[in-house]
Amino acid sequence: MDKVMSNKWIIGLYILPAFLLISIFIFIPLLLSGYYGLMDWDGIGAMKYIGMENYFNAIQDGLFWESALHSFLLALFSTVSLIAYLAISLVLASKIKGSNLLRKIYLIPMLLSSVAIAQLWIKVFHPSNGILNSMLALVGVENPPAWLAEPTVVLYAIFIPILWQYAGFYILIYYAALKNIPESIVEAARIDGATPLQIAYRIKLPLIMGVVKVTIVLAVVGSLKYFDLIYVMTGGGPNGASEVMASYMYKLAFSSNDFGYGSAIGFLLLLITLIVTVIIRKVTASKEELQY
Amino acid sequence: MSKKKAVTIFFAVISSLLLISGCSGSDDVSGSDGKTIEFMHLWPEGSSKQHNEIVQDIVADFEAENPDVKVKLEVMSNEQYKDKIKVLSTSNELPDVGMTWAAGYLEPYVEGEKFAPLDDVLEGDLKDSFVSGIPEAYAIDGSTYGLPLELNVASIFYNKKIFEENGLEVPKTYEEFQDVVKTLSENGVAPIALGNKDRWTGSLWYMYFADRIGGGDALTNAISGSGSFKDPALVSAAEEVQNMVDMDAFVKGFNGLSDEEAKSMFMNEQAAMYLIATWDLPNYTTNEDVLQEFRDSVGYFPFPTVDGKGDMSSYVGGPGVGLFVAEDSDVKEEAKEFVSFFVQEWGKKSVTEAGVIPATKVDAASLDLPKMYVDVLDDLNNASNITLFADVQMSADVAQVHLDMIQSLFGKEVTPEEFAEKHEAALSK
């Protein structure tokens, strides 16, 4: 078998089916959308080649950068909340009562579809009948904001369900990584007199650093291309206050009938995500990975 | 041994390649000589049960009359439908018959030569059966590309019970209307349900102010370019919208509520009034799922005059969906026949079975219809003007600007002057 695996032809053959599938369903559409970005096209009639005009327009488009800012804010919030998820996992992975049940509770949002989550939180945020404002009224808040209607609040209001939705996913990853740390290492530290906090910070965290880096990439990339909850809950409104790059692209291509421009934005979204990923990998790369 | 493995791997790869290539080709298996019309519509059983059943009936009747023709149905909800049609037309795979909206929506499809002209159908069996002026909304450069199914006009529906409890009467003028709003909000009742997340809902209010202040043509002229959104009448229409917002006329957080949510607030008697078009009539007349008691307590009145100006028999509305036939359909003749058949049957059945107002003429006297329905029909017959929904009149990209601006106007993020300027800028592009 070793002989087989060292044969370049065989390796090539192994890769071929997956490569073909990925080409057909990912690379070719990617290139096509970059190509459509060069067109003046409403998505229905004839295409007209206009060179880089759409790309230049996009770079000068204030609304695009505003939506990009929103996407980056989401990425920032998601990354910061990783700390909270990590803390929760550290607690869950230590032997506390009911950690099993808690873990399941954190996982529930992951099992729901985005649309169901959106519907749920639309009800929570309802300005007069929603549970949130009803509770605020109970504790004496006179004029609670209409969460999804006020341009200054809506973006942050919408972040909450998104972070809630993915909490279980990251907690699960961290939990699995933490469970993989051999008990003997932790035990040794304990015998040396390390406090639980020291153990967490000095022993466990460095040992799962590889996983943490992966989750940072996942959180940032996932945030930059995030779409579904925002589309269902606000449609990017009011007046673009909660627009992100992906929803802006969708709006241009499918609502404004500007397929060429939408494709250009989509391609830019890809480039931005790629660049950011490379930067993160560079920044978080370390020469030596800790091993146990 | 390794050679054997290599051979198996080779065959595995080859077979997976065959699998992939098998995905394309060999998918047109439509009966031997019978013809199939593909028909896509947007009334799923879940959300539009009555509509859906009528379609099924009509299709069954059509198949019975034309034994060699089969109709293949595909059903999708509204937003999904819009997306899918777009993707299908991009790849030249439109269904033979489908649904479209009028004017601005239709334009790119006609320019891209995706829809077939239906003038021959309109001049044939269907001559004189439409309410006059309605198919024109589907005409571009003198040819008609869609046959309308519905006719809608917007009116203010109100809760009689709430009005009575607060000692209010149906307003005729804007002053009276403002008094109604004031009294209601002083008594702690939300005056008007509005779901402006959908934006066209707010557009209705703006359009009515524009109509009452500037007359029936002001807005249409501004959109077509022969007038301007900077017309003082249109600017003051935008001002009145903001005055209403200042008066707390609309439910809290309207810019984040969908039309569905606003509707449920009205139907749960949490708000006294609701401006919506006649497609909602069944909810207040025939829909058995709505409490009889509530249905009895709903009335409607036309939008009041402003400063005594504007004609109260002038409406905002227009045709809803219409049917198109795809230009490159293989069964164009049959499809046209089907469309003609469908429109006529729909005209008969939609009135009695769904309680919606069709685009074809209705003989109200011969049918047993709810009173509100008859009243609305009377209004329609006496309408002096129907202004087509602004976002339907506009081309898609301008419509997006209009809708976004409507949301900003209601949210007081723009002044009426900026509102006008943004429209002009979008229209001049």
Side-chain angles (χ1 to χ4, degrees), chain A residues 136-149:
Chain A
L136 286 175
L138 273 185
V139 296
V141 179
E142 288 246 322
N143 216 343
W147 300 97
L148 299 179

Side-chain angles (χ1 to χ4, degrees), chain A residues 4 13-14 20 41-44 122 126-129 143-144 146 148-149 151 232-233 238-239 250-251 253 255-257, chain B residues 2 9 13 16-17 83 86 89-90 108-109 112 114 197 252-253 256-257 261 265 270 396-397 400 404 407-408 413:
Chain A
V4 173
L13 275 177
Y14 262 119
L20 276 177
W41 187 30
D42 58 12
I44 300 159
I122 283 173
H126 193 287
S128 45
N129 303 337
N143 216 343
L148 299 179
V232 180
M233 283 181 76
N239 190 24
Y250 180 87
K251 188 172 168 182
S255 306
S256 300
N257 267 359
Chain B
S2 67
I9 289 160
V13 170
S16 61
L17 282 179
D83 291 351
K86 185 126 195 224
S89 92
T90 308
Y109 291 93
K114 303 290 181 194
K197 183 170 111 180
K252 192 179 153 65
L257 294 174
E261 288 173 286
M265 289 181 85
Q270 289 179 315
D397 51 338
Q400 287 307 311
D404 280 347
Q407 223 173 23
S408 307
E413 291 163 60

Side-chain angles (χ1 to χ4, degrees), chain B residues 122-273:
Chain B
L122 194 61
E123 283 305 308
D125 301 343
L126 290 175
K127 205 167 173 26
D128 298 330
S129 56
F130 283 106
V131 177
S132 69
I134 296 306
E136 273 79 344
Y138 288 84
I140 289 177
D141 295 335
S143 290
T144 307
Y145 292 89
L147 296 182
L149 291 178
E150 294 171 319
L151 180 53
N152 300 300
V153 292
S155 308
I156 300 178
F157 289 86
Y158 72 105
N159 192 317
K160 289 182 201 160
K161 217 164 58 190
I162 298 180
F163 266 50
E164 230 163 75
E165 281 163 9
N166 293 279
L168 296 169
E169 276 180 31
V170 169
K172 286 251 166 23
T173 66
Y174 186 44
E175 280 87 51
E176 288 172 17
F177 184 60
Q178 282 175 312
D179 285 339
V180 166
V181 168
K182 261 182 223 148
T183 312
L184 285 170
S185 78
E186 273 161 21
N187 296 352
V189 182
I192 301 164
L194 170 68
N196 206 26
K197 183 170 111 180
D198 293 336
R199 308 178 298 176
W200 53 264
T201 42
S203 177
L204 292 181
W205 285 94
Y206 172 71
M207 288 191 70
Y208 262 124
F209 277 120
D211 178 86
R212 294 298 188 259
I213 298 171
D217 294 334
L219 194 65
T220 310
N221 287 345
I223 293 170
S224 71
S226 59
S228 162
F229 270 90
K230 290 180 182 161
D231 179 343
L234 293 185
V235 174
S236 60
E239 265 164 32
E240 287 311 331
V241 164
Q242 295 197 326
N243 284 343
M244 297 267 295
V245 174
D246 285 337
M247 287 169 58
D248 284 330
F250 305 109
V251 289
K252 192 179 153 65
F254 52 80
N255 256 354
L257 294 174
S258 67
D259 178 50
E260 283 300 317
E261 288 173 286
K263 181 180 304 182
S264 80
M265 289 181 85
F266 177 66
M267 294 185 68
N268 288 318
E269 314 199 311
Q270 289 179 315
M273 291 178 273

Side-chain angles (χ1 to χ4, degrees), chain B residues 321-360:
Chain B
V321 291
L323 294 176
F324 72 80
V325 171
E327 176 70 36
D328 59 359
S329 163
D330 304 330
V331 285
K332 218 176 196 173
E333 283 318 305
E334 288 79 5
K336 281 183 178 174
E337 229 164 82
F338 175 66
V339 164
S340 167
F341 183 83
F342 194 97
V343 168
Q344 294 174 55
E345 290 297 305
W346 178 262
K348 289 177 211 155
K349 290 187 166 139
S350 64
V351 181
T352 44
E353 287 168 36
V356 296
I357 297 182
T360 41

Side-chain angles (χ1 to χ4, degrees), chain A residues 27-78:
Chain A
F27 291 138
I28 293 173
L30 272 182
L31 293 176
L32 271 180
S33 102
Y35 167 73
Y36 291 147
L38 302 171
M39 301 289 161
D40 178 18
W41 187 30
D42 58 12
I44 300 159
M47 279 191 236
K48 202 179 108 203
Y49 179 77
I50 52 164
M52 294 294 284
E53 200 180 311
N54 281 331
Y55 292 93
F56 290 136
N57 284 345
I59 289 168
Q60 291 162 13
D61 183 350
L63 290 174
F64 171 64
W65 290 114
E66 203 179 307
S67 63
L69 175 71
H70 296 157
S71 290
F72 276 102
L73 269 175
L74 176 59
L76 181 73
F77 272 76
S78 318

